[in-house]
Amino acid sequence: MTLTVDQLDTDVLIVGGGLAGLRAAIAAAEGGVRVMIACKRKAGRSGNTLVAEGGIAVGSPNVDPEDSIEQHVADTLASGKDLCDPILSRMLAENSEKEVFGLTRFGVVLGRDKSGNLLRGQPPGHTKRRSLRAESDHLPKNARGQSITIPLLKFAENLGVTLLDRTPILRLLSRDGAIESALAMDEEKERYLVIHAKAVIIAAGGAGQMFSLTNNTADITGDSYALALDAGADLRDMEFPQFYPNWGISPFRSTISSVMMGEGAVFRNKNQERFMPSYYPEAKDMATRDQTSLAIFQEVQAGRGVEGGVYLDASGVDREVLEVKFHHLTEAMRRLNLEFGKDPVIVTPVVHHYMGGISVNRHLESGVHGLFAAGEACGGTHGANRLSGNAFSECIVFGALSGAAATEYARGREMPRPAGKESIAAMLPSLAFQEEGPDIADLRREMREINWKKNGIIRTEESLLAG
């Protein structure tokens, strides 16, 4: 079958329709340029934003009277083992209050208690109660992120942003060190698209599905990094996947917010021993995600695990707090005729986030002129380990900043000229059918297993090279 090839053009093309991509689209559209979003699945209804717990870190005395931007920066750098890009970490902290509270103008509702006060939490690694969240109790537990993405999606559509759903970007093309166009596959209309753009923002998430154990959605397959690298951009810190220690595996499979640890939950091994103080006497169960994942891994390796994980004991969390802040979890347990905080819950670490990503400057621009990045696609903000809530803050803040920067860049550039037939032919992938050769599903399964074993919780230079 021969597919047709159509050509489109836009001022700013955004790759990815999650939180970062939608926020970037709004910023660019409000800047007065034409904006197009190309999403592998459906914008606002796919990707990791959809299933995330939704914590949003805001370092401000208006959230916690004892907090500050400086303290947020300090916590971020400490969690990242001082391997963060300090400029990016500061940009995140300095802009979080403005951009997070600015979500309300798009129709996002921040979670509040019965008295109308903001629901605040203190996840591990944070020294203050700076974690907020959107109101999402009305949504299924695997779609709570829509409490943010759907209002942003509607706002973007009202601004005239063009949406190309089920249209994965296959390649980004640059010329003379500047981005020029993208090759996409419109799956619904069964055609190729050559999209010419003055600027491109990559916001297609991370690479969790490159590992055999992950809580990432099926569409998070490293597209951001592959596209950027192929276009001539540099990547950084790709040896740093993050492992989330609170992935529930029994009696249900679900992310359990690490904010719960700040409310009094603790980890116990199969002997009901609280083991975290023996690994981290000061932080105890408030140790950072990388530290907690390592401790759980070591307990399991020592034979003190439970079904490949450990118990999460929430009996020390106030019942009202459980019902208000973690309502979806208490409801999930009730549906199984169990009670959260009394009946056992087993958790284990899985790949959750990628700290590595596209190397960018303070304008969130890569080494390829006109190619920007936002959200998990962007590397350097979190160093070797990310704090809870900083991912959503990064998507919101860097989405807004990259959208504004791409708009400014696009204003000063002419539209790349349409591609000729020969240029288009050179872009298209080979679709020749091969009767013999490796099975792609088997290769993918093997690659994911290798990544888990060689770039897992415990990794060395030797294991990374062997992988």
Side-chain angles (χ1 to χ4, degrees), residues 59 67-77 90 93-94 130:
D67 204 1
S68 66
I69 290 172
E70 294 302 323
Q71 190 59 55
H72 191 181
V73 172
D75 289 354
T76 299
L77 296 178
R90 178 165 291 279
E94 287 182 344
R130 66 170 68 100

Side-chain angles (χ1 to χ4, degrees), residues 296-418:
I296 293 174
F297 179 82
Q298 291 176 324
E299 286 293 299
V300 172
Q301 290 296 103
R304 296 187 292 271
V306 186
E307 299 178 19
V310 296
Y311 292 117
L312 188 147
D313 177 7
S315 61
V317 181
D318 182 86
R319 174 54 51 182
E320 184 177 352
V321 171
L322 280 175
E323 293 295 345
V324 173
K325 287 190 176 182
F326 311 104
H327 179 70
H328 61 283
L329 294 174
T330 58
E331 278 297 305
M333 290 288 278
R334 273 194 283 270
R335 285 194 290 270
L336 298 172
N337 294 318
L338 300 171
E339 184 175 346
F340 203 96
K342 289 187 178 181
D343 292 295
V345 173
I346 302 173
V347 298
T348 195
V350 293
V351 170
H352 179 64
H353 184 89
Y354 234 98
M355 273 76 67
I358 303 167
S359 182
V360 296
N361 59 22
R362 63 169 55 248
H363 304 293
L364 302 175
E365 186 178 20
S366 73
V368 178
H369 297 306
L371 181 60
F372 300 80
E376 198 173 344
C378 177
T381 310
H382 311 293
N385 181 68
R386 177 179 66 77
L387 284 176
S388 171
N390 269 358
F392 262 33
S393 298
E394 181 184 36
C395 287
I396 297 162
V397 170
F398 287 5
L401 296 180
S402 66
T407 297
E408 188 67 24
Y409 179 88
R411 283 201 190 105
R413 189 183 183 199
E414 295 293 326
M415 180 63 67
R417 63 181 182 272

